[in-house]
């Protein structure tokens, strides 16, 4: 997805983030059956509490072929009491599903017989691992701790494609977890059958003589959009693991200790056009490396991941972005070491609270894994040709995850990154200059459920320590940066309808006087604001501290939903050494909403939801920085299309971000419309459409439209294309500042803006060709064009007002002189003239990658990757689609070929 951010306060790009589990209900249903399901729901819920699955001790080996020919499956009664979640909540399943659980000393075995009255209608699509393709599915879920909060999910479809997840926080799902397990399927005359083999050492649980676990089975019948479960949860209840049935009978097992070694080797060749005279751009570069990962079970419920000389290069490229804001762009993590188990760290502040609405709240992350191994932050001081490293080398890292003590969930990451040097060649002398110091990164996350999950507490701490013996780096980097925070929740009733939750923490930064003085003025703080009475610059400071928190009261069960929240980020709060924050601190946020969901089928909607609310934001000086009223209507139509419409109204307020460290400015009234449509996912062609329109009273406006089509011509092939067009006309795009003591109204500085006419055109192409569940080819291509033309340059006349002088009017002049503008703000007056370099741009990018992935044995992988990048910057400010596409396709490109081989040794 292309991301673009415009300075908050003038033309807002706001996100209403609603996280709530919803599922579909049918249109054509039997009214008597519907009524019966309504009457019996409470009885069904009580019956669910008594469900038990008995695990069977094996007396014979299992031949894993999916055929269910062993006696254990034939001689023991299966469980088959499955109820619908969709399309008719609480009704009996329309097709019979039978399931068994068995075990031996080392493995858990699961078998299922998915009967089907229309075997030809069974949908089985091939997909890469952890790809939830649009097909039939069978899932086995287990809660080995029986804590009613966490567990694992294992799934397989009729084509043999598999998925697995780690479950947390009752409804949390982490698809990054990859266990080593096996499964087979078989087609039979009246359906399809499954066998799974899951080694006990892939699961975490305390060692006992006898075990009581939680268990669930689920099945998806895609042609009917039917989802059934053995442990059924009504739609109006937000719960999952806490409602699992009981799994009894497992005893006297020998799970063993998990110890796996993954040595790897990687080779890379990079080709790009040679640059005459540049000794570093000869047209080709070659590199190779070796290393290993180690996964070890220190105890049955604690795992260690250790990596030595890791390969942390990315297989998938980041999308192109044009960012005109003062804040950095957030990119998704794509490196396996950091992806696996990330939910343990990302869940901070979210425990117990499953319903969230955030409008213009930066939602700070205390840990952002892409800080580790990032591109070096320094720069060379000598001039000449430069060979600059594209990432920081991670010398080693380990990760410890699991459960310790009396039920504490633990996650700890420790990593060391090496010094990085840029090489500068001025054709007479070659210099090596340090651009990144030796650094340590540490992250600790601990969380404990209390009273069977009725309450919970947790903490999170991060630390970054840099060896700054280089004076230029000491002036721009923090020497030490720490954060410490606590989170928790408490349900207010036994049904867990009402909950209070939140988090509170602080950040503590140390550095040189030059560094902290710089930090106080960066976009997260802007302590230099001349009209601020609650913050001020301290040039002698060697530390910066701050605090933040957010607290919520939520009703999250039933048809009626309710939320109120209050959050604050103090002016000195800064998590960005180890974490990520997308907007400035110095913020107080108040939020409330009420919603209602209709879960019964009707003539138009299978289900729908309407909610409305407000947001108010202030700084710590009491200035109102943002406010809005919002409403959202979403649901599923009778034809299985999904929709969502959002409306926001934003009254005029002040902003402390527009002038980028200058005085407060006023933002005009505005509104936003947003519509999203998605077609029936069962069909060979799936369509998704998005449209957004914003406008403010100063005639700034923004609209964005995207349209994607996903075509599934075969069971193992899918193609998608997603064109996108953005247009914005923003009257107040930041350009620069110019000191002028005559500007007493604006504290001796001219704050200069321009009107930007920006157009962005991009398309994403994706191809997924799955030869087998373990062999796949993926292709991604993104042509991207962004053009910005500036005019109507202007200056802020007075703080707290929408009052601007447009250059060229009221006695001022502006002259275009070959790549720059010469401005005289008062004509014959005493003010000095100054220059503005033309900020127009025409950024064209082509990014693509082709990845062949082969899991040639469980846990052992071969990657063959080709990546290409092209870019062109000609014709700034002028868009001509065919000319620009021609320039893009003929631009010189970088080609990178990579082969990576890893092998799993089960020790």
């Amino acid at each position: 997805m292309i991301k673009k951010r415009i300075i908050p306060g003038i033309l807002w790009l706001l996100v209403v983030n609603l996280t709530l589990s919803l599922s579909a209900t049918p249109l054509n249903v039997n009214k008597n059956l519907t009524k019966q399901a309504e009457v019996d729901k409470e009885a069904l819920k009580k019956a669910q509490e008594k469900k038990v699955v008995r695990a069977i001790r094996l007396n014979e080996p299992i031949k894993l072929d999916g055929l269910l020919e062993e006696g254990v499956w034939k001689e023991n009664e299966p469980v088959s009491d499955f109820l619908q979640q969709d399309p008719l909540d609480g009704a009996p399943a329309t097709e019979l599903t039978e399931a068994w659980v068995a075990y031996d000393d080392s493995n858990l075995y699961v078998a299922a017989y998915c009967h089907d009255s229309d075997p030809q209608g069974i949908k089985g699509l091939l997909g890469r691992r952890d790809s939830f393709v649009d097909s039939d599915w069978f899932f086995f879920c287990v809660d080995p701790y029986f804590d009613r909060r966490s567990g694992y999910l294992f799934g397989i479809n009729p084509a043999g494609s598999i998925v697995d997840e780690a479950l947390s926080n009752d409804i949390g799902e982490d698809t990054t977890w990859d266990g080593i397990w096996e499964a087979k399927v078989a087609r039979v005359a009246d359906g399809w059958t499954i066998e799974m083999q899951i080694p006990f050492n892939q699961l975490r649980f305390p060692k006992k003589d006898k075990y009581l676990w939680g268990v669930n089975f689920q099945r998806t019948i895609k042609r009917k959009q039917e989802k059934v479960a053995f442990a059924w949860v009504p739609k109006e209840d937000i719960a999952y693991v806490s409602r699992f049935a009981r799994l009894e009978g497992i005893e006297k097992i020998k799970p063993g200790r998990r110890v796996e070694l993954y040595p790897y080797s990687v080779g890379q060749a990079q080709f790009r056009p040679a640059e005459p005279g540049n000794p570093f751009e000869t047209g080709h570069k070659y590199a190779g490396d070796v290393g290993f990962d180690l996964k070890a079970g220190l105890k049955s419920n604690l795992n260690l991941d250790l990596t030595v000389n890791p390969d942390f290069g990315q297989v998938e490229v980041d999308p192109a972005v044009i960012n005109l804001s003062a804040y950095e762009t957030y990119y998704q993590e794509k490196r396996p070491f950091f992806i696996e188990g990330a939910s343990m760290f990302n869940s901070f502040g979210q425990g117990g609270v499953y319903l969230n609405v955030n409008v213009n709240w930066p939602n700070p992350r205390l840990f952002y894994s892409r800080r580790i191994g990032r591109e070096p932050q320094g720069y060379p001081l000598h001039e000449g040709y430069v060979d600059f490293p594209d990432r920081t080398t991670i010398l080693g890292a380990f990760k410890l995850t699991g459960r310790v003590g009396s039920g504490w969930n633990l996650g700890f990451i420790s990593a060391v990154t090496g010094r990085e040097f840029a090489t500068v060649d001025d054709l007479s002398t070659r210099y090596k200059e340090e651009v990144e110091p030796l650094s340590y990164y540490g992250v600790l996350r601990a969380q404990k459920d209390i009273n069977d999950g009725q309450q919970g507490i947790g903490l999170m701490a991060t630390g970054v320590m840099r060896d700054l013996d280089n004076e230029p780096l000491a002036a721009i980097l923090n020497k030490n940066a720490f954060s410490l925070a606590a989170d928790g929740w408490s349900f207010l009733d036994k049904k867990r309808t009402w909950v209070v939750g939140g988090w509170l923490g602080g950040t503590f930064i140390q550095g040189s006087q030059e560094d902290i003085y710089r930090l106080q003025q960066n976009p997260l703080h802007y302590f230099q604001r001349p009209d601020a009475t609650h913050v001020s610059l301290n040039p002698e400071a060697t530390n910066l501290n701050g605090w933040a928190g957010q607290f919520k009261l939520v009703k999250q069960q039933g048809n009626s939903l309710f939320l109120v929240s209050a959050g604050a980020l103090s002016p000195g709060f800064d998590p960005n050494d180890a974490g990520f924050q997308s907007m400035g601190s110095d913020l107080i946020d108040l939020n409330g909403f009420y919603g209602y969901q209709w879960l019964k089928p009707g003539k138009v909607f299978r289900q729908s939801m309407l909610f409305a609310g407000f947001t108010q934001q202030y700084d710590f000086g009491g200035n109102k920085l943002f406010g809005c009223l919002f409403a959202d209507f979403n649901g599923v139509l009778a034809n299985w299309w999904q929709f969502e419409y959002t409306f926001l109204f934003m009254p005029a307020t002040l902003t402390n971000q527009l002038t980028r460290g200058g005085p407060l400015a006023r933002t005009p009234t505005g509104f936003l419309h947003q519509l999203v449509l998605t077609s029936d996912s069962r069909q060979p062609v799936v369509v998704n459409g998005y449209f957004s329109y914003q406008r403010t009273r100063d005639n700034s406006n923004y609209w964005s439209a995207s349209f994607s089509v996903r075509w599934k011509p075969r069971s193992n092939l899918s193609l998608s294309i997603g064109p996108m067009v953005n247009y914005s006309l923003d009257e107040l795009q930041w350009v620069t500042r110019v000191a002028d003591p005559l500007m007493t109204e604006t504290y001796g500085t001219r704050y200069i803006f321009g009107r930007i006419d920006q157009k962005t055109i991009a398309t994403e192409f994706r191809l997924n060709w799955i030869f087998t569940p373990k062999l796949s080819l993926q292709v991604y291509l993104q042509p991207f064009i962004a053009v910005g033309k500036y005019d109507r340059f202007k200056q802020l006349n007075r703080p707290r007002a929408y009052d601007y002088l447009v250059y060229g009017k009221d006695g001022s002049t502006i002259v275009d002189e070959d790549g720059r503008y010469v401005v005289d703000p008062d004509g014959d007056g005493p003010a000095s003239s100054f220059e503005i370099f033309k900020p127009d741009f025409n950024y064209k990018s082509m990014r693509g990658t082709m990845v062949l992935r082969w899991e040639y044995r469980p846990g052992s992988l071969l990657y063959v990757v080709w990546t290409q990048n092209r870019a062109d910057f000609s014709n700034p400010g002028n868009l001509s689609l065919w000319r620009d596409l021609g320039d893009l396709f003929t631009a010189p490109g970088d080609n990178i070929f990579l082969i990576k081989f890893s092998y799993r040794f089960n020790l």
Side-chain angles (χ1 to χ4, degrees), residues 117-394:
S117 58
D118 180 16
Q120 298 301 315
I122 296 172
K123 294 196 68 174
L125 300 180
L126 280 170
R128 186 172 170 175
R129 181 168 184 165
D130 289 336
S131 177
F132 287 83
V133 293
D134 298 319
S135 72
D136 287 40
W137 284 96
F138 176 80
F139 302 103
F140 166 69
C141 308
V142 62
D143 172 12
Y145 281 118
F146 200 56
D147 60 4
R148 301 296 194 177
R149 297 273 298 167
S150 63
Y152 303 89
L153 175 146
F154 304 88
I156 191 167
N157 74 1
S161 300
I162 65 170
V163 297
D164 52 15
E165 296 180 334
L167 308 175
S168 62
N169 196 24
D170 197 2
I171 66 168
E173 299 174 330
D174 180 7
T175 60
T176 66
W177 179 80
D178 284 331
I180 305 298
W181 58 285
E182 295 187 76
K184 297 291 183 181
V185 297
R187 292 292 188 106
V188 293
D190 63 338
W192 59 293
T193 53
I194 302 110
E195 285 180 320
M196 295 180 178
Q197 177 184 340
I198 305 167
F200 284 122
N201 64 18
Q202 297 295 306
L203 309 177
R204 294 177 184 158
F205 54 90
K207 192 172 182 179
K208 300 178 181 179
D209 292 331
K210 293 184 178 181
Y211 296 91
L212 174 62
W213 292 356
V215 68
N216 194 12
F217 309 98
Q218 296 172 282
R219 180 183 174 187
T220 298
I221 307 170
K222 190 61 182 179
R223 73 179 184 279
K224 299 181 178 183
Q225 293 284 44
E226 183 174 335
K227 298 177 182 178
V228 300
F230 178 71
W232 166 77
V233 179
K235 286 184 178 181
E236 58 268 24
D237 291 358
I238 303 179
Y240 186 49
V241 179
S242 60
R243 306 292 179 85
F244 281 6
R246 296 161 64 95
L247 177 62
E248 300 178 349
I250 299 177
E251 59 184 32
K252 298 177 180 178
I253 60 175
K254 300 175 182 178
R257 182 169 293 181
R258 178 188 183 189
V259 181
E260 298 166 359
L261 181 66
Y262 297 82
Y264 85 89
S265 62
V266 61
Q268 178 178 297
Q270 181 177 5
F271 302 97
R272 64 172 67 177
E275 183 179 335
N278 187 340
F280 304 118
E281 292 297 346
T282 60
H284 53 79
K285 292 181 181 179
Y286 304 99
D289 216 340
V290 295
F292 69 86
D293 297 336
L294 177 71
K295 296 179 182 288
L298 303 183
K299 292 185 177 181
S300 59
N301 57 352
L302 198 62
N303 284 346
L304 171 69
D305 289 67
L306 173 68
T307 182
V308 175
N309 193 27
D311 169 42
F312 280 151
Q314 290 185 195
V315 171
E316 184 179 349
V317 298
D318 290 319
V321 175
I322 187 72
N323 184 349
L324 302 180
S325 78
Y327 302 98
E328 63 181 315
T329 299
Y330 180 87
Y331 290 106
Q332 295 291 333
E333 179 61 84
K334 298 181 174 72
R335 300 169 296 179
F337 178 86
F338 293 112
I339 288 177
E340 187 171 349
S343 62
M344 177 67 188
F345 303 94
N346 296 338
S347 64
F348 177 79
Q350 300 176 13
V353 179
Y354 312 135
L355 181 63
N356 292 286
V357 175
N358 294 316
V359 181
N360 222 40
W361 168 253
N363 203 25
R365 290 172 174 254
L366 295 183
F367 176 52
Y368 176 44
S369 58
R370 289 190 63 155
R371 299 294 185 207
I372 304 175
R374 69 192 296 176
E375 182 178 334
Q377 301 170 78
Y379 48 85
L381 300 179
H382 289 91
E383 295 184 356
Y385 292 106
V386 179
D387 183 19
F388 197 90
D390 63 354
R391 72 186 71 135
T392 303
T393 301
I394 301 176

Side-chain angles (χ1 to χ4, degrees), residues 710-816:
R710 181 160 50 93
W711 179 37
K712 299 169 283 186
R714 298 173 57 185
S715 63
N716 69 333
L717 181 65
S718 68
L719 302 164
S720 67
I721 180 172
M724 181 274 294
V725 178
N726 286 344
Y727 172 77
S728 66
L729 186 69
D730 187 354
E731 281 287 342
L732 294 177
Q733 175 60 53
W734 169 263
V735 176
T736 189
R737 64 169 58 86
V738 176
D740 188 340
L742 297 177
M743 289 296 296
T744 55
E745 285 273 13
T746 53
Y747 305 93
T749 301
R750 297 185 187 275
Y751 297 94
I752 300 170
F753 307 86
R755 181 175 67 177
I756 182 174
D757 183 328
Q758 181 176 335
K759 304 176 181 69
T760 304
I761 302 172
T763 300
E764 289 190 345
F765 299 91
R766 294 185 184 271
L767 178 145
N768 291 290
W769 193 352
I770 314 299
F771 306 105
T772 73
K774 296 184 178 181
L775 178 62
S776 63
L777 177 69
Q778 293 184 305
V779 180
Y780 169 81
L781 181 67
Q782 186 210 32
F784 177 92
I785 301 174
V787 179
K789 174 68 175 177
Y790 288 75
D791 64 4
R792 282 178 56 84
F793 293 94
K794 57 182 73 67
Q795 69 181 34
L796 177 68
N797 282 335
R798 292 184 294 123
R800 295 175 171 264
Y802 193 87
D803 184 2
Y804 294 88
L805 168 66
V806 178
Y807 295 140
K809 296 183 178 180
D810 299 328
S812 64
T813 62
I814 181 170
V815 180
D816 186 348

Side-chain angles (χ1 to χ4, degrees), residues 351-640:
V353 179
Y354 312 135
L355 181 63
N356 292 286
V357 175
N358 294 316
V359 181
N360 222 40
W361 168 253
N363 203 25
R365 290 172 174 254
L366 295 183
F367 176 52
Y368 176 44
S369 58
R370 289 190 63 155
R371 299 294 185 207
I372 304 175
R374 69 192 296 176
E375 182 178 334
Q377 301 170 78
Y379 48 85
L381 300 179
H382 289 91
E383 295 184 356
Y385 292 106
V386 179
D387 183 19
F388 197 90
D390 63 354
R391 72 186 71 135
T392 303
T393 301
I394 301 176
L395 302 178
F398 75 85
K399 177 169 54 178
L400 193 66
T401 55
R403 184 168 293 200
V404 296
S406 56
W408 281 93
N409 295 301
L410 176 70
F412 179 61
I413 292 176
S414 182
V416 177
T417 61
R419 297 186 191 276
E420 294 293 338
F421 296 85
T423 304
V424 182
D425 193 321
D426 63 7
L427 300 183
S428 62
T429 307
R430 182 167 287 195
Y431 309 91
K432 273 190 170 296
E433 300 189 42
E434 186 178 348
V435 291
E436 185 73 19
L438 179 71
S439 303
Y440 170 79
Y441 294 83
V443 185
L444 173 67
R445 170 70 169 136
Q447 186 267 323
K448 179 180 174 59
D449 295 346
I450 303 171
N451 192 17
D452 293 327
Q454 195 70 12
Q455 293 87 30
I457 58 173
L459 64 89
M460 191 164 184
T462 67
V464 179
M465 291 175 279
R466 299 183 175 96
D467 183 13
L468 291 172
D469 57 2
N470 178 293
E471 187 174 338
L473 289 179
I476 63 172
L477 296 177
N478 304 325
K479 181 174 179 58
N480 299 313
F482 304 99
S483 72
L484 178 64
D487 66 333
W489 75 89
S490 178
F491 291 103
L492 303 181
D493 58 311
K494 290 185 177 181
K495 292 185 177 181
R496 301 186 175 182
T497 300
W498 288 86
V499 63
V500 292
W503 63 274
L504 181 66
T507 59
F508 316 93
I509 299 172
Q510 299 171 335
S512 66
Q513 289 185 357
E514 295 85 356
D515 169 57
I516 299 302
Y517 189 66
R518 171 202 60 83
L519 186 63
Q520 293 175 77
Q521 299 178 72
N522 86 359
L524 231 56
H525 308 291
Y526 286 146
F527 280 13
Q528 71 271 34
R529 285 170 280 165
D531 58 344
T533 58
H534 59 290
V535 293
S536 60
L537 280 173
N538 181 359
E540 298 179 355
T542 57
N543 61 75
L544 180 66
N545 303 325
W547 62 269
Q550 188 180 42
F551 297 90
K552 298 179 181 180
L553 170 66
V554 184
K555 179 183 181 293
Q556 57 191 18
Q557 307 272 23
N559 295 96
S560 296
L561 305 171
F562 172 79
L563 177 147
V564 291
S565 71
L569 307 173
S570 78
F573 182 75
D574 189 336
N576 277 355
D577 280 88
F580 185 92
Q581 184 174 311
S582 60
M583 292 169 52
S585 295
D586 191 9
L587 183 67
I588 298 171
D589 177 80
L590 304 174
N591 193 309
F593 97 97
Y594 173 81
Y596 192 89
Q597 51 182 342
W598 292 267
L599 302 174
K600 301 175 186 177
K603 293 183 178 181
V604 178
F605 304 109
R606 295 184 182 270
Q607 75 170 42
S608 59
M609 177 181 178
L610 175 66
F611 69 89
F614 72 92
T615 292
Q616 299 289 314
Q617 293 181 340
Y618 302 84
D619 67 13
F620 276 62
N623 301 294
K624 185 175 179 180
L625 302 181
F626 178 77
C628 82
L629 300 173
F630 62 87
D632 185 279
F633 183 48
N634 63 78
V636 182
L637 298 172
N639 61 355
W640 291 104

